[in-house]
Amino acid sequence: MKPLTVMVSASGAPGTAALLRALRENGEREVRLVGTDMSERSVGRHLCDAFHLVPAGSDPDFPDAMLGVAERERVDAILPQSSFDLEGLAEHVDRFPMPVLVSHPDAIRRSNDKAETYELLHRLGIQAPAFRRVTGAHEVDAAARELGYPDRPVCFKPVFSSGSRGFRILDPAVDRAHQLLNERLGSVAMRLEEAVELLPADGGPDLLVMELATGGETTVDGIANGREIILGHPKTREAMRAGLAMFFVTLDDPQLLRIANLIVEELGLEHFFNIQLVGDYVIEINPRISTIVYQEDLNLPYLGIKRAIGEISDDELRTYTARIRPGRSALRYLDQLEFDTYP
């Protein structure tokens, strides 16, 4: 088969090593990998065949930089990993002569706006946390109390965030002495009074104060066509470290797939997606690739690339559903890489 060149953005992300390995070891053809990142310390610099520094995804120059790299490297498809890269690429996708695996800009915006996400879920009759969209310490305090604090914990995070950034549990029972002496830096639990003290009294970024979802964490990952899920892969998320799951087990769960399909249809998600639940509540919609549980006969990233370049149809892709093996597990940890520092 014809060799492919695939460009992977945010190639310093935690899941990069496994993703690049899956694309390279696809069993069908040679894949040349081009990594991009805003940091020169990206692992992609060492694991890809070529590497380019680009601006942050939020930078207005980001789309032009990505297009320039893609044209110079003769890229066949672009696979973004970071939520921060999606909008910049989606707004300019018509300028790219190769497929860019992103959803429509409106679908990305609605997915990334957590308040709009929860409004959508409630409207569809899908269980999601009760919430308030607020700004400033005064509104955070009022919203937390409306949602039950201090009788029960609540939580808050920025309306737009990624990878648990800015997420905090507001719990009146937090033992600050225990945190100080026994917990690692970066505990996500604090008292409401502490949050109010740190936030500006009024204004500031939009925040989401919400009911604290509890229970086991699950996700549905997969590939969609803008109308429905073509290939869906439910799994657990376990053994959390710094907001990242480290252990996953594939599930046979038609109900999770039904919920995910309603969301995909409503938002018009295309290419890769990731929908997260805690207990019965949907808490996150990510219109991008996330951690995959790989099988020797089921390589979702490579299949998504093949679909994007027109080598496999939706009907053919659906047949791969029968290959998903419930109980298939993935255990990951942050690997270590040694290298000589670049001058």
Side-chain angles (χ1 to χ4, degrees):
M1 300 181 74
K2 173 183 175 291
L4 293 178
T5 297
V6 177
M7 186 159 81
V8 178
S9 83
S11 62
T16 296
L19 172 63
L20 297 179
R21 185 166 55 248
L23 291 173
R24 201 185 293 280
E25 298 175 2
N26 60 80
E28 283 190 348
R29 52 152 46 105
E30 177 186 348
V31 172
R32 179 173 173 269
L33 297 168
V34 177
T36 65
D37 203 278
M38 64 179 182
S39 171
E40 64 180 11
R41 293 181 179 177
S42 164
V43 68
R45 174 165 228 153
H46 305 276
L47 299 181
C48 291
D49 301 290
F51 175 80
H52 297 265
L53 282 173
V54 296
S58 56
D59 191 306
D61 293 331
F62 175 71
D64 285 338
M66 292 291 286
L67 178 59
V69 171
E71 290 181 331
R72 288 196 303 275
E73 295 286 358
R74 300 179 182 274
V75 165
D76 294 297
I78 298 174
L79 176 55
Q81 285 197 94
S82 170
S83 298
F84 297 101
D85 294 349
L86 300 178
E87 272 194 86
L89 290 172
E91 294 284 357
H92 297 268
V93 72
D94 292 341
R95 297 172 53 202
F96 286 76
M98 70 288 295
V100 183
L101 280 72
V102 290
S103 291
H104 188 274
D106 184 61
I108 293 169
R109 181 192 59 76
R110 295 171 69 196
S111 298
N112 285 341
D113 184 318
K114 302 299 187 277
E116 187 158 345
T117 291
Y118 291 158
E119 288 172 2
L120 165 72
L121 295 171
H122 287 299
R123 191 168 66 250
L124 292 177
I126 295 172
Q127 293 190 70
F131 72 96
R132 305 288 187 275
R133 185 176 192 148
V134 301
T135 58
H138 293 153
E139 292 187 9
V140 167
D141 184 88
R145 296 183 189 282
E146 286 178 17
L147 292 170
Y149 189 95
D151 295 328
R152 60 179 181 175
V154 297
C155 58
F156 80 98
K157 61 182 176 180
V159 165
F160 177 78
S161 63
S162 178
S164 298
R165 292 172 178 86
F167 175 78
R168 293 293 183 273
I169 296 171
L170 302 176
D171 186 351
V174 165
D175 186 334
R176 298 182 68 189
H178 179 83
Q179 284 186 339
L180 176 66
L181 297 173
N182 297 288
E183 296 186 13
R184 292 181 185 273
L185 186 66
S187 172
V188 298
M190 62 194 311
R191 296 174 183 171
L192 175 61
E193 294 76 13
E194 296 174 272
V196 167
E197 182 181 340
L198 294 170
L199 292 169
D202 298 292
D206 284 0
L207 300 171
L208 203 63
V209 182
M210 58 188 183
E211 179 184 1
L212 179 63
T214 59
E217 296 195 25
T218 53
T219 72
V220 178
D221 297 273
I223 302 169
N225 63 7
R227 301 178 304 278
E228 61 182 348
I229 296 173
I230 310 166
L231 181 57
H233 188 281
K235 66 180 189 295
T236 66
R237 291 178 84 239
E238 305 175 43
M240 305 298 294
R241 286 180 180 266
L244 299 173
M246 294 292 164
F247 184 64
F248 311 85
V249 180
T250 300
L251 300 171
D252 179 11
D253 196 325
Q255 175 65 4
L256 281 182
L257 286 171
R258 186 190 71 79
I259 291 170
N261 206 62
L262 287 172
I263 295 168
V264 164
E265 180 183 8
E266 177 67 21
L267 290 173
L269 296 178
E270 187 166 7
H271 301 297
F272 294 109
F273 69 89
N274 165 266
I275 295 170
Q276 297 182 15
L277 296 89
V278 174
D280 294 327
Y281 285 166
V282 175
I283 62 160
E284 191 105 2
I285 301 170
N286 297 304
R288 57 165 172 78
I289 197 164
S290 187
T291 303
I292 300 296
V293 179
Y294 296 98
Q295 297 177 191
E296 71 283 353
D297 59 346
L298 186 65
N299 186 332
L300 256 67
Y302 180 62
L303 290 170
I305 295 292
K306 288 187 69 174
R307 176 183 177 272
I309 63 176
E311 286 190 355
I312 189 169
S313 70
D314 288 0
D315 285 342
E316 290 174 303
L317 204 52
R318 288 187 183 95
T319 67
Y320 282 78
T321 300
R323 300 188 183 189
I324 296 174
R325 300 204 297 267
R328 175 77 168 177
S329 301
L331 177 65
R332 70 173 181 176
Y333 197 71
L334 303 181
D335 204 348
Q336 183 166 308
L337 176 71
E338 282 78 26
F339 57 93
D340 294 323
T341 303
Y342 287 87

